[in-house]
Structures are given as structure tokens and as C-alpha cells.
Amino acid sequence: MLRLFLLFSLCCGVSATAQTIHISPAGPILAGDPIGITMTNLPPNAQVTIDARRLIEETPGKVLYRAEATFSADANGQLDLSQAKPVAGSYRTTDIHGLFWSMTPSKVSADAPTEMNQVLLTARVADKAVASAQLRFVGTLPTVKAEEVAIFPGAVFARMPGNQRLPVVIVLGGSEGGSRSAREMALNLAARGFAVLGLPYYSPASYNSQERELPTLPRSFVDIPVDRLNQAHAWLKGRADVDPGRVALLGTSKGAEFALIAASKMDWISSVVAIVPSDVVWQGWGPDVIPADARRSSFSYAGQALPFVPNKDFVQELSGFQSGAEVRYRRPQDKGRAADPAAAVAARIRVENFKGPLLVAGGIEDQMWASGMMAQNIAERRAEAKLETVALIYTDAGHALNGNGWSPTSQYNAGLFKVGGTAEANAKAQAEIWRETLAFLRRTLGLKPDIQTGDRIGMH
């Protein structure tokens, strides 16, 4: 998720003794990078309440989110949010991300940020505002060059300027379809020194509409051709600014299923990141599945549908949207897998066929599908084969683990549709997965230190 321009606004003058919110580094940074938030010149041992407000784009419009927490300054009048445990407030553990992930929708209109993705921090002592600071999240750097890839609808290729033959990350989004998630991740990773191809592969109709973002892509998640990645690799080999011998796949949810299938069958893939993955191929869905309860595979290879695990009672589960009952996509999958063990054996993704390094991350409380258990299955198969695997499995986290810990997670399970996990566990898992993913990709693709940081010209 997104990056920060930091703008400072102090409300207590410029005297040497003014209470001040310090945000470091002082210059703009990209979302997901570590930041520091401290205060100085507070009364010794004072109780300080910090209020955080942020505008979030939601349907049908902008929503103000808000959190606050109260801390105790130390005997020197200093406060460090990376070390301080709140004594009261929206979150209760030591966590520099806490004021960000614990935000909830607010009806308060006063002192709201004026721009999207801007966070306003205000500190109060004895109910008096003593300092404030502003942060604005951005998704990439202005030096990143992005181009549309005509032969792949909705695809974007992004990288920093220069003549180096950069390693490549191919990004595959999940069942939301369309281009947004792959595009945003591509621009973010490109700012970190990778060449990135954001590759959409499925474009369903919008909610309560027949309109589709990318009409030439499949509208149903049925028989999606995994071979599409061979075409993408051929396209990369035709470019002089990338190294086609160093290509990683990064997939989330159904994109992780896609990536793992590809890795089990294609020998040019260097490394894989699979976030909330599946260890089997699952049944597909969509308007081209006729009748609605017909069984079709999600993926195909070399023109042939792949063996899959069928769902059970999927239509009944979805009826909760009309009846008001909770909807958990995981239940029809768990039922289908339990009812047909032979199908699960046939549909298992042969992750041991991929000899390169693999990172998998899942949540035990995932209610979209059993990503924690499936990530563990993958790690065990890889361990048996003595293959390099990083497994990040979180007991209390759910499905939405593809962020970076700096955005609100409080509403993930607020409606009928449940993705699972607690707000705190999801945010902490996001932050760790993001850090580990960047380190894993840099190491396995051999990204040089000078390329990692990039030249952020125009960002100062």
C-alpha cells in the first residue's frame, strides 16, 4: 500500500521550548518504509494524547477515519511512539503503526485532512493542543517511468530511469480482477529499484453493473491460461533494460495460486512470493459457468483445464448477502476439500518442482480460504524436498495481508463479508510480510545496494 510525503505544521511557534512532533526521516518516504514519530519538550511525565485523522476513498465517497491514544512522556519530557505503550486509546500495545491501523470511520468533521491519503497528527496535553504534523502517503516516486504494454490489456511496465539491466518482478493480483492492484504494486516496487510488470489476467463486471474495465480479458475466473506468463517472459526477453534471467513472481490470493502453478511448470522463474496462497487448484466461477453450479477449473495449461478441488454449497454461502447472514468463502472450499480427498490429491500444486527460493505467507484465521494451513502444507512439501522456503504463518491473521501496516485494518470484517483475523494481527502481519518480501526479492534477484535505494531526484 502507499508512500509518504511528510509536511510539518507546528502550532506552538518556533521557540526552543515548544512541544514538537518529529517525524523521521524528514524528507518524503515511500509507504511501507519505517518511520519514526517522537515528541520533545513535553512536561516531564506528562500524559499526551495523539489524535490521527485520515481521509480514505470508499464507495460512494471519501470517509474520515480517526484514532487516538494516550501516552506518558518520560522524565525528560520525551516520547517515542516506537517504544511507548499507550495507557488508553484505540490500540493498547507498543506499535509504531498503531495510530494508523486502528483508525475507524468518524463523524467528526473539524480539523479533517484536506487531501486524500493525508494523515493529520495532533498532540494534546491537559486537553490543550500543543503540536501537530501532517503526512501524505504516495504510491511511488516521480522519477519512476511507467508505460502501457499494448499486447497485454491493462498491463503496466515500470522502472527507475537508467541503463542497467534490472531484475524483474511480475505482479499478479487476486480475484478482484482488473488492473488496479497489479498497477499499484508495480509502481511501488519500481520505486525500490526493480523493473516491474503488473499483469492483469481477469476482468469481471463491476459491482451491480455489466461494465468491465478490460473487456478483452476473461470475465469469468475459469480456465485462466497460466501460459500467459510464458508470453510475458518472451516480451521481457525483447527488452534491453531488463535481465530476463532474473525474474520473480509476486502473487496474492488467486494470484498466488497462479504464481505457484506457473513455478511448478516453468523453468525460467527465479523466485516466487505467494501471499495468502493455495496449495491446490480450485474450482472456477463466473457468468460463463452454465449452469451456475457446473464445475469448471480456475486455471488451464497448454490448452487443458487443470484438475481442481470442487466447492460445496457455494451458492448457498453467497445467499447470505440477501438473507443478512455472514458470508465466509472459506466454508464451501473446506467442505469441498473434505468431501473429495481424491480431487485434492489430483489438484495439488507440485511446489517441489520449483527449485528456486519461495516465500509463502498465510493467516490461520483466513475466512476467504485456509491460507495459513495451505501455506504450511506448501512449506512442508518444500522442506521434504530440501528447497529454500520462507514461511510466514500468523495465528490470528486473516486474508487481507497484502498491505504494509500503515492503513486502517479495523473494518475488514465490519460487514456481512468476512476475510478474517483481528485488526491488530492483520496489520502486524502486513508490516512484517512487506519487510520480508522486499528483503527476499532483493536477495533472490541480486538487486545491488545502489539500485535498491535509487536516485530520488525531485523528491527533496
Side-chain angles (χ1 to χ4, degrees):
M1 291 179 180
L2 307 172
R3 290 256 207 178
L4 308 174
F5 273 114
L6 302 182
L7 307 170
F8 295 99
S9 173
L10 300 180
C11 64
C12 298
V14 294
S15 68
T17 59
Q19 289 84 20
T20 304
I21 299 176
H22 302 278
I23 301 176
S24 62
I29 62 173
L30 295 175
D33 284 357
I35 65 172
I37 302 174
T38 60
M39 289 196 70
T40 55
N41 298 320
L42 293 162
N45 305 310
Q47 297 281 288
V48 185
T49 298
I50 299 182
D51 176 291
R53 305 183 186 198
R54 177 180 181 180
L55 285 176
I56 302 288
E57 186 73 52
E58 294 184 353
T59 303
K62 300 175 182 178
V63 177
L64 176 65
Y65 275 65
R66 180 175 176 269
E68 73 171 32
T70 300
F71 308 88
S72 294
D74 67 17
N76 296 316
Q78 298 181 347
L79 175 66
D80 183 345
L81 294 196
S82 69
Q83 304 295 322
K85 180 179 179 180
V87 297
S90 303
Y91 72 103
R92 301 302 293 269
T93 59
T94 303
D95 186 358
I96 186 65
H97 297 85
L99 281 171
F100 298 83
W101 62 256
S102 67
M103 289 182 179
T104 58
S106 173
K107 295 181 180 179
V108 174
S109 59
D111 300 321
T114 57
E115 299 181 29
M116 292 300 302
N117 297 320
Q118 183 183 70
V119 179
L120 174 64
L121 300 177
T122 303
R124 302 192 310 271
V125 176
D127 288 329
K128 177 182 178 182
V130 296
S132 66
Q134 295 180 26
L135 306 85
R136 185 169 67 88
F137 291 84
V138 294
T140 191
L141 301 178
T143 45
V144 167
K145 305 298 181 183
E147 61 185 77
E148 304 299 319
V149 183
I151 63 172
F152 300 118
V156 62
F157 176 81
R159 60 160 290 162
M160 296 285 279
N163 298 318
Q164 305 99 321
R165 289 170 62 85
L166 297 180
V168 183
V169 180
I170 299 177
V171 177
L172 301 166
S175 59
E176 74 284 347
S179 68
R180 179 175 176 177
S181 61
R183 177 179 294 267
E184 289 180 352
M185 182 63 78
L187 294 173
N188 194 296
L189 287 174
R192 301 173 187 281
F194 301 97
V196 192
L197 177 63
L199 189 65
Y201 56 91
Y202 158 69
S203 185
S206 303
Y207 180 69
N208 283 337
S209 170
Q210 294 302 310
E211 295 184 4
R212 298 198 297 133
E213 179 197 357
L214 304 169
T216 59
L217 290 181
R219 64 177 183 169
S220 297
F221 211 116
V222 172
D223 296 344
I224 300 295
V226 176
D227 319 60
R228 182 178 183 79
L229 287 177
N230 281 328
Q231 295 174 275
H233 188 232
W235 181 82
L236 289 168
K237 288 195 291 186
R239 297 187 65 99
D241 58 351
V242 303
D243 182 353
R246 291 185 291 160
V247 181
L249 305 182
L250 190 161
T252 301
S253 191
K254 291 296 282 187
E257 183 181 339
F258 191 157
L260 290 170
I261 297 168
S264 73
K265 296 178 179 296
M266 301 171 184
D267 61 6
W268 51 265
I269 298 168
S270 302
S271 60
V272 176
V273 174
I275 299 173
V276 289
S278 173
D279 64 337
V280 296
V281 179
W282 287 98
Q283 178 178 329
W285 70 88
D288 298 310
V289 179
I290 302 172
D293 59 353
R295 293 181 171 182
R296 302 275 303 275
S297 181
S298 287
F299 291 99
S300 67
Y301 186 75
Q304 299 295 315
L306 294 175
F308 63 93
V309 178
N311 299 318
K312 185 177 181 182
D313 299 335
F314 188 69
V315 174
Q316 292 90 321
E317 188 69 29
L318 295 185
S319 69
F321 288 122
Q322 284 72 48
S323 68
E326 290 183 355
V327 176
R328 301 173 186 266
Y329 281 179
R330 174 176 175 167
R331 288 189 288 216
Q333 294 174 322
D334 286 352
K335 291 178 185 178
R337 188 168 189 158
D340 198 343
V345 172
R348 187 177 71 81
I349 301 169
R350 269 50 183 178
V351 292
E352 65 274 18
N353 291 351
F354 175 58
K355 306 307 180 185
L358 169 66
L359 185 152
V360 290
I364 297 297
E365 290 300 313
D366 191 336
Q367 298 303 307
M368 283 285 287
W369 62 15
S371 68
M373 179 198 76
M374 295 191 290
Q376 184 65 39
N377 290 345
I378 291 166
E380 290 172 1
R381 295 287 185 180
R382 298 269 300 175
E384 288 175 354
K386 296 181 171 53
L387 297 170
E388 180 184 346
T389 308
V390 177
L392 306 173
I393 299 169
Y394 301 90
T395 303
D396 298 321
H399 192 76
L401 303 186
N402 61 327
N404 55 43
W406 293 109
S407 294
T409 56
S410 63
Q411 303 303 294
Y412 284 178
N413 297 289
L416 294 177
F417 181 60
K418 306 301 180 184
V419 298
T422 68
E424 180 175 6
N426 288 333
K428 288 188 173 182
Q430 287 178 4
E432 183 174 24
I433 291 167
W434 179 246
R435 291 193 301 269
E436 292 295 322
T437 293
L438 290 179
F440 176 85
L441 290 173
R442 286 167 175 159
R443 176 174 58 80
T444 61
L445 293 179
L447 190 63
K448 297 178 181 179
D450 59 326
I451 301 299
Q452 290 178 25
T453 56
D455 181 8
R456 300 182 182 183
I457 296 173
M459 293 295 294
H460 300 289

